[in-house]
Amino acid sequence: MTDTTQRIFLSYAGPDQAWAEWAGWQLQQAGHQVELDRWHWRTGDDFVQKMNLALGKADAVVALFSRHYFEPKRWTREEWSAAVALRGRLVPVAIELLNDDDIPALLAGTLRTDVHGLDEAAATSALLEAVHGPVPPTGPVDFPGAASADAPTAPDAQRPRLPSSVGLPEVWNVRRRNPDFSGRETVMGQLRTGLLSGRQAVVQALHGMGGIGKTQIALEYAHRFASQYDLVWWVDAEQADQLPVRYTALADRLGVAKSDAGSEPNARALLQHLRTRHRWLLVLDNAEHPDQIEPWLPEGPGHVLITSRNPDWHGIAHQSDLDVFTRTDSLAYLKGRISGMTTEHADLLAQDLGDLPLALAQASGVLRSGMTLDRYRRLLTTDTARLLQESDVRDHPAPLAATVGIAVTRLADDGHADAVALLRLGAFLGPEPIPTAWLETARPRLATIPGDPDDPMWLRNALQPLGRFGLARTDYDAFQIHRLTQAILRTQTGPDPVVAIRDDVTAVLAAVDPGDPRSPADWPAWASLTAHLTAPHVTTALAHQAALRATFSKAAHFLICSGLPRAAHDLSAALHQAWSTDLGPDHPDTLTCAQFLGHATVDLGDYAKGRLIIEDTLVRRRRVLGEDHPDTLTSAGNLATILNKSGEYVEARRMQEDVLARRRRVLGEDHPDTLTSAHNLAGLLNSLEEHAESRRMQEDVLARRRRVLGEDHPDTLSSASNLATSLNSLGEHAESRRMHEDVLARRRRVLGEDHPDTLSSANKLATSLNGLGEHAEARRMHEDVLARRGVVLGQDHPSTLASASNLATTLNSLGEHVEAHRMQEDVLARCRRVLGQDHPDTLTSASNLARTLHTLRQYSEAAELLKEVRASYVRHFGAKHPKTELATRNLATVLIAMGKTHEAQQLTGRKSDKGKRRFGRKRR
């Protein structure tokens, strides 16, 4: 690298990509190393990481300033903020006329170079001077009035051309640009990269379902990169036999058509002409028959862009499988079209509409006409087809409901009865991918699918037309129908066919056997099945099917085990309501569902409501099944657990000991349920400060679980985690840390980064690190866990509050007492509201806040809190319990600091020893 060569990161907004290509080319020709994301970054790269790395190693950041660049909520805001931090390394280049109001205050004082409105030679000179700095003349300076030198020779046909600020290509028939186009920057970049990938004619096919925005992307591409072409011609290719006629119009425009020749000779003359011509773009819109289109694809140094519902362009064109909007693009679109729409409301609507661009556009039009969002969402559920028939989207020929209806009619008219039947069957499943193996297994029992059930090619023959007509996305092992297409089809299906179709859906789902819902190895299969079972229309329609009751129960169990309590709660609640009506509240299946509902409710942090459900289930099971039935013991164990979580340790211990004794007698010493009871009792003993006995039990349970369940089973990892906690309580900090680190690594691998158990391990390890004096790392971990728990569990979940409390404790250790005080006040207020005044976590939060107040010399407030804490412990545990004694010592410490030594002595019953006085604290 020479002294004048620089590493340059080119920063730009997506709509300005043509400018970025031109600037990047000029800087490379000048000898610089240029990094431009669309040239050097691959699909799947971590964008933020790549950008940060590029900024970190760049000698300069050339930022192309435009109105697009400073649009709110673009990633480029973060980028140019980082670039400004680099001070002298930012090189602003304005590519359009900007007013002072267009530029953020952060950059208002930055000198910039203007290249808009200049010819290419002048713009190139200005760009290079901005990067290199002004160069003084080395010879005589020309008289300002002298005639300008001759223009440079025409640029090479393959290099980027200076984007024109005015005008369009000389040969152009593309309709006006859509002013509402937004998002799709990644797709646009990939499309541009694909079309630039070769020197000969490059054919790129955008395919996807109707309403996904294929035509709009092609239209935006044509306008955005118009300056890079001399010829851009749009062709309606839906009727392939009309292509020669469409081509003749272009041939006539170019002067290569003969008036006495027919359309085919003139079309072939056009193809021959394009072989020798540079910088042309041909857009073939709605091309649905690849075999009929292929003979009419031009060759030569130009580009062909095809839009199609048909995915079968293999061997003809480079393919881009266009998906729905990303959620980010959906939110930006809705908030840009509907004034005052909040992010939360936009997210709900985008979810309902499955991020389908045409549906978002239709919804925007309806909502702008005066309908409320709540009413629109209700109608979307109850009258989907009618609602999606309403449209004022000018750039689409038909509303979504009509688009689906037309495609289904064509499918039937072409003789694909099996495809229509499969489509309607899929409409009554969930909107997630449908594994083809499910249908193959259930095929002999499917009454609505015509044809020979033993035909090995039936599924392929039925799926191919669905993909060709854009009604489903097909893959080698699954297919998927958009949720709105499904809803329209369900609305358009009569009551008699619905009964038969639901029987077939039941047969499909009942034939699936994902395995053990408690085993992480089987969770991917359960996740695939549960995605369909939890779709609202599936749950509502099929909850009454006896053949699916066991499958539904296992699905709820899977959701609990895999750390998805909200989904488990919602499914269990719907099933419990249906089964209570169908079977009665005391039926064993209804009670199993109630068990999972109570469990999920507790996991969501609603201890009071969860306790009521669990107590009711226990009473019913005792009456219906008997005292020692395994299901009754499960409910008893669940009640003991919720008593423990609620701080009622004495009664919780009595119940856990009783359940453990019964399970040992009924199920045996090594039964997984028996080991669960022993594990729960050992954890409770640790909460009661009986650490040695807790350790003994945990070591025994861990050894048995390793032998019975395996080293990485979630229950085994829970035992290892609790044993590590007991070791920490006993002062064996190094071994406790080692075990916590091992459990955390295993849980991340087995359960995932955000599973509640994984977050529990990270929280415990961070607390251990803080106790060992590694406060900075503890803080980093606590901040990460707090953020994750807030998202996964909610801001007021007891586990989230515990993380906030532990982070505040770590901040205290780092000397950040004011921030710790602010956090602890917030946590205490939330604990009192969520858990109650006397809950152990509330009392711990009060003690931690008192400790900070003591550090800040706010002794009166600290003393008041500690008096409340001590009184609560005395009521629940007595004066001699370790928790009470710790609170007594803490209160005495504060009283002594206040000068109330006599009162402190009366409280503790002994003279104070100032040399040994220490303010204790409890961590969670």
Side-chain angles (χ1 to χ4, degrees):
M1 187 182 296
T2 66
D3 292 340
T4 58
T5 298
Q6 297 185 54
R7 291 166 298 193
I8 295 174
F9 177 70
L10 199 54
S11 169
Y12 67 99
D16 302 323
Q17 186 173 336
W19 276 99
E21 291 175 359
W22 172 81
W25 176 278
Q26 299 298 337
L27 292 169
Q28 283 186 341
Q29 295 303 300
H32 299 295
Q33 294 182 6
V34 179
E35 183 151 9
L36 181 133
D37 59 355
R38 306 302 181 197
W39 286 358
H40 299 103
W41 300 352
R42 299 186 304 275
T43 300
D45 282 346
D46 184 321
F47 181 83
V48 175
Q49 181 186 53
K50 297 288 284 187
M51 187 181 75
N52 287 340
L53 289 173
L55 288 171
K57 67 184 181 182
D59 296 313
V61 176
V62 174
L64 302 184
F65 281 13
S66 70
R67 290 181 178 84
H68 292 301
Y69 194 75
F70 297 113
E71 285 178 354
K73 298 183 179 179
R74 290 190 59 83
W75 60 262
T76 43
R77 280 192 172 276
E78 297 295 331
E79 185 181 339
W80 55 248
S81 294
V84 167
L86 301 175
R87 300 291 179 184
R89 296 160 68 186
L90 178 68
V91 182
V93 176
I95 59 175
E96 66 178 335
L97 183 63
L98 297 173
N99 300 317
D100 290 341
D101 292 342
D102 296 325
I103 301 175
L106 183 64
L107 297 172
T110 306
L111 293 176
R112 60 184 183 271
T113 296
D114 292 323
V115 298
H116 58 85
L118 303 179
D119 62 28
E120 184 159 17
T124 301
S125 177
L127 172 67
L128 296 179
E129 182 174 314
V131 173
H132 300 152
V135 179
T138 57
V141 180
D142 291 336
F143 173 58
S148 61
D150 292 337
T153 58
D156 180 83
Q158 296 301 320
R159 72 178 175 124
R161 179 185 288 167
L162 177 74
S164 174
S165 58
V166 293
L168 293 169
E170 182 179 350
V171 182
W172 172 271
N173 77 331
V174 181
R175 68 175 183 267
R176 65 175 181 81
R177 197 172 196 168
N178 180 5
D180 294 325
F181 183 88
S182 68
R184 295 297 199 187
E185 294 304 334
T186 299
V187 174
M188 199 66 67
Q190 292 169 350
L191 179 58
R192 178 65 175 165
T193 300
L195 288 171
L196 292 176
S197 63
R199 298 184 67 85
Q200 293 304 308
V202 177
V203 184
Q204 192 82 19
L206 275 177
H207 65 83
M209 66 176 290
I212 211 163
K214 304 178 293 296
T215 296
Q216 293 304 311
I217 290 174
L219 181 64
E220 175 66 16
Y221 178 87
H223 280 276
R224 185 176 294 188
F225 294 97
S227 62
Q228 303 304 302
Y229 298 101
D230 296 325
L231 181 163
V232 180
W233 202 256
W234 192 280
V235 177
D236 180 359
E238 188 167 9
Q239 295 177 301
D241 58 354
Q242 293 298 304
L243 277 182
V245 177
R246 315 284 189 212
Y247 280 7
T248 297
L250 177 57
D252 184 62
R253 176 71 176 272
L254 295 173
V256 299
K258 296 182 179 180
S259 59
D260 58 345
S263 59
E264 285 205 16
N266 281 328
R268 296 200 183 281
L270 171 68
L271 296 180
Q272 183 62 36
H273 175 76
L274 293 178
R275 287 175 179 269
T276 62
R277 186 180 182 116
H278 292 282
R279 295 187 182 274
W280 52 263
L281 169 66
L282 203 63
V283 181
L284 303 182
D285 190 33
N286 289 324
E288 303 303 340
H289 302 284
D291 55 334
Q292 298 177 33
I293 295 292
E294 184 179 16
W296 295 104
L297 290 176
E299 297 178 359
H303 298 160
V304 180
L305 176 56
I306 297 170
T307 72
S308 178
R309 291 189 182 193
N310 195 332
D312 191 17
W313 291 90
H314 300 285
I316 299 175
H318 301 299
Q319 298 192 124
S320 295
D321 184 7
L322 192 61
D323 205 348
V324 296
F325 268 166
T326 65
R327 184 54 54 84
T328 300
D329 282 350
S330 294
L331 299 184
Y333 180 86
L334 289 171
K335 293 171 72 175
R337 296 289 306 279
I338 305 172
S339 178
M341 174 163 276
T342 66
T343 299
E344 180 183 5
H345 287 162
D347 187 60
L348 290 171
L349 183 56
Q351 170 69 24
D352 291 343
L353 297 173
D355 299 294
L356 185 66
L358 176 58
L360 295 170
Q362 288 183 221
S364 298
V366 174
L367 291 171
R368 287 202 311 273
S369 69
M371 183 179 289
T372 66
L373 178 62
D374 286 344
R375 179 165 177 75
Y376 185 92
R377 294 184 66 210
R378 285 197 302 272
L379 286 174
L380 195 60
T381 301
T382 60
D383 203 355
T384 308
R386 180 182 175 188
L387 188 61
L388 295 178
Q389 193 65 47
E390 302 293 327
S391 177
D392 63 351
V393 184
R394 297 183 181 88
D395 292 307
H396 199 278
L400 184 61
T403 298
V404 172
I406 291 168
V408 174
T409 299
R410 288 180 179 176
L411 192 66
D413 290 345
D414 284 359
H416 299 296
D418 53 349
V420 173
L422 181 61
L423 180 68
R424 294 198 182 279
L425 174 62
F428 285 82
L429 285 161
E432 303 303 321
I434 303 167
T436 52
W438 293 1
L439 295 159
E440 295 282 12
T441 301
R443 178 64 181 93
R445 296 182 291 280
L446 302 182
T448 63
I449 305 294
D452 181 5
D454 295 324
D455 179 5
M457 301 300 289
W458 79 272
L459 191 54
R460 173 187 177 276
N461 294 337
L463 283 175
Q464 276 193 331
L466 296 184
R468 189 165 69 249
F469 282 83
L471 290 164
R473 292 170 57 90
T474 59
D475 204 345
Y476 74 98
D477 64 350
F479 71 102
Q480 185 174 14
I481 307 171
H482 191 274
R483 67 178 64 241
L484 294 183
T485 301
Q486 289 180 310
I488 292 167
L489 290 167
R490 290 196 303 271
T491 302
Q492 296 173 348
T493 304
D496 292 336
V498 164
V499 174
I501 291 171
R502 283 177 176 166
D503 287 343
D504 277 1
V505 171
T506 299
V508 170
L509 296 176
V512 183
D513 182 12
D516 185 354
R518 297 166 298 181
S519 171
D522 293 328
W523 286 355
W526 270 110
S528 178
L529 177 59
T530 304
H532 291 272
L533 294 170
T534 56
H537 65 272
V538 176
T539 306
T540 301
L542 303 183
H544 305 280
Q545 298 279 0
L548 283 177
R549 284 207 295 267
T551 302
F552 270 123
S553 288
K554 290 179 181 179
H557 197 186
F558 152 72
L559 291 170
I560 289 171
C561 294
S562 60
L564 300 170
R566 172 53 60 191
H569 174 276
D570 293 348
L571 177 61
S572 299
L575 295 175
H576 188 259
Q577 182 177 4
W579 295 354
S580 293
T581 301
D582 292 350
L583 309 172
D586 288 344
H587 189 281
D589 289 345
T590 308
L591 293 174
T592 297
C593 187
Q595 170 193 317
F596 294 138
L597 177 59
H599 194 152
T601 303
V602 171
D603 286 349
L604 286 171
D606 192 342
Y607 294 166
K609 188 174 181 179
R611 177 175 179 170
L612 290 175
I613 297 170
I614 291 169
E615 286 177 332
D616 180 71
T617 305
L618 175 58
V619 170
R620 294 176 184 275
R621 277 180 160 170
R622 280 174 171 163
R623 186 177 68 248
V624 174
L625 303 175
E627 195 78 36
D628 286 344
H629 191 283
D631 290 350
T632 305
L633 295 177
T634 295
S635 288
N638 287 348
L639 179 55
T641 298
I642 186 59
L643 291 173
N644 183 18
K645 288 178 179 289
S646 301
E648 299 180 31
Y649 297 140
V650 176
E651 179 59 16
R653 177 178 187 167
R654 185 197 66 76
M655 287 198 69
Q656 288 287 16
E657 289 175 336
D658 179 68
V659 173
L660 176 58
R662 291 175 183 274
R663 278 179 161 169
R664 281 173 172 163
R665 174 167 48 81
V666 174
L667 302 174
E669 193 79 36
D670 285 344
H671 190 281
D673 290 352
T674 306
L675 296 178
T676 295
S677 286
H679 165 83
N680 291 339
L681 177 57
L684 177 55
L685 292 175
N686 200 54
S687 298
L688 287 167
E689 309 289 336
E690 298 182 29
H691 306 305
E693 178 59 15
S694 173
R695 172 185 184 165
R696 185 197 65 76
M697 288 193 69
Q698 290 289 9
E699 287 176 334
D700 179 68
V701 173
L702 177 58
R704 292 174 184 273
R705 278 181 160 171
R706 281 173 172 164
R707 185 178 70 251
V708 174
L709 302 174
E711 193 79 32
D712 285 342
H713 190 281
D715 290 351
T716 307
L717 296 177
S718 292
S719 286
S721 177
N722 279 9
L723 176 56
T725 299
S726 294
L727 292 175
N728 194 59
S729 300
L730 289 166
E732 299 184 29
H733 305 302
E735 179 59 14
S736 173
R737 173 184 182 169
R738 186 199 66 76
M739 289 192 71
H740 278 314
E741 288 175 334
D742 179 68
V743 173
L744 176 58
R746 292 174 185 270
R747 278 178 161 168
R748 281 174 170 163
R749 173 168 49 81
V750 174
L751 304 176
E753 195 78 35
D754 287 337
H755 190 284
D757 288 354
T758 306
L759 297 177
S760 175
S761 279
N763 174 65
K764 289 179 178 180
L765 176 58
T767 300
S768 238
L769 292 174
N770 192 57
L772 289 167
E774 299 183 28
H775 307 309
E777 178 60 13
R779 175 182 187 166
R780 185 197 66 77
M781 288 192 71
H782 276 314
E783 287 176 336
D784 180 67
V785 175
L786 176 60
R788 292 176 185 272
R789 277 179 161 172
V791 172
V792 174
L793 302 173
Q795 295 298 329
D796 283 345
H797 192 280
S799 295
T800 308
L801 297 178
S803 281
S805 179
N806 289 340
L807 174 58
T809 297
T810 302
L811 292 175
N812 248 336
S813 301
L814 288 165
E816 299 184 26
H817 307 304
V818 174
E819 177 61 14
H821 176 261
R822 184 197 66 77
M823 287 190 70
Q824 285 167 341
E825 282 192 324
D826 179 68
V827 170
L828 179 57
R830 290 172 183 266
C831 282
R832 283 172 170 166
R833 172 168 49 81
V834 173
L835 300 172
Q837 192 81 20
D838 288 339
H839 190 279
D841 288 359
T842 305
L843 299 177
T844 298
S845 294
S847 297
N848 288 345
L849 175 57
R851 175 175 181 267
T852 303
L853 290 169
H854 176 266
T855 302
L856 294 171
R857 299 178 182 273
Q858 298 179 28
Y859 301 128
S860 297
E861 293 91 334
E864 287 304 313
L865 277 175
L866 288 172
K867 286 176 182 177
E868 293 176 9
V869 170
R870 182 178 180 277
S872 180
Y873 282 146
V874 169
R875 285 196 305 273
H876 288 89
F877 303 113
K880 299 300 183 181
H881 192 275
K883 290 179 180 292
T884 310
E885 290 182 345
L886 177 62
T888 301
R889 291 196 299 273
N890 290 343
L891 176 56
T893 301
V894 173
L895 292 172
I896 291 170
M898 297 172 69
K900 299 181 179 182
T901 306
H902 179 68
E903 186 177 343
Q905 291 173 349
Q906 286 185 317
L907 184 68
T908 60
R910 62 179 182 272
K911 293 184 178 180
S912 65
D913 185 342
K914 295 183 180 180
K916 295 181 179 180
R917 189 172 65 239
R918 184 179 302 275
F919 198 111
R921 63 183 182 275
K922 181 73 174 176
R923 301 187 189 93
R924 293 183 294 207

